[in-house]
Amino acid sequence: MMQSPIKILLIEDDEQDIELIETYLAIAKNFTTHLEIATSIQQGLERLYVGGIDIILCDLTLPDGRGLDTFVQINAQFPEVPMIILSGLNDIVNWVWEPSFPLIFWCI
């Protein structure tokens, strides 16, 4: 039986990182995905309001947001959509861990 593709919203403004994520998803063997891309928090929120997204992959350095506030802004409006944070390791070293936020970091 064919499973429905996982609907992923990638919020990322760096073209190389977008290509990297597309490559990773293209080689996935046990599931299929449908990837949509937003290049700012605002574009991401607009897409999330339409509905139907299963998971968010989000960079924390975007034209209209920076750092953990990016997560807070999106999560405040869509707490039901799981989010994986994409970040360079140096971006997260100085953050204070807040246990009330269910974060997963994927350092690229």
Side-chain angles (χ1 to χ4, degrees):
M1 179 189 334
M2 264 318 232
Q3 290 183 335
S4 296
I6 299 169
K7 295 177 189 124
I8 300 171
L9 176 61
L10 172 60
I11 306 175
E12 172 63 74
D13 66 328
D14 184 284
E15 188 61 39
Q16 289 180 326
D17 288 342
I18 292 170
E19 289 175 14
L20 181 64
I21 298 302
E22 289 174 328
T23 300
Y24 286 155
L25 293 174
I27 62 175
K29 297 189 186 303
N30 296 325
F31 58 92
T32 59
T33 62
H34 173 77
L35 182 67
E36 295 188 38
I37 298 167
T39 58
S40 67
I41 296 171
Q42 184 61 40
Q43 285 181 358
L45 291 173
E46 289 171 6
R47 175 54 191 91
L48 286 163
Y49 280 116
V50 173
I53 295 296
D54 296 316
I55 190 164
I56 304 165
L57 302 179
C58 185
D59 185 20
L60 293 184
T61 304
L62 296 162
D64 54 351
R66 186 165 192 80
L68 195 54
D69 289 338
T70 301
F71 168 80
V72 172
Q73 187 176 350
I74 296 168
N75 185 269
Q77 296 179 55
F78 296 93
E80 72 282 1
V81 183
M83 185 184 310
I84 296 176
I85 301 301
L86 308 174
S87 181
L89 185 58
N90 291 338
D91 292 343
I92 63 173
V93 168
N94 296 321
W95 292 349
V96 175
W97 176 250
E98 176 58 56
S100 64
F101 295 143
L103 294 177
I104 296 174
F105 290 99
W106 181 11
C107 300
I108 56 174

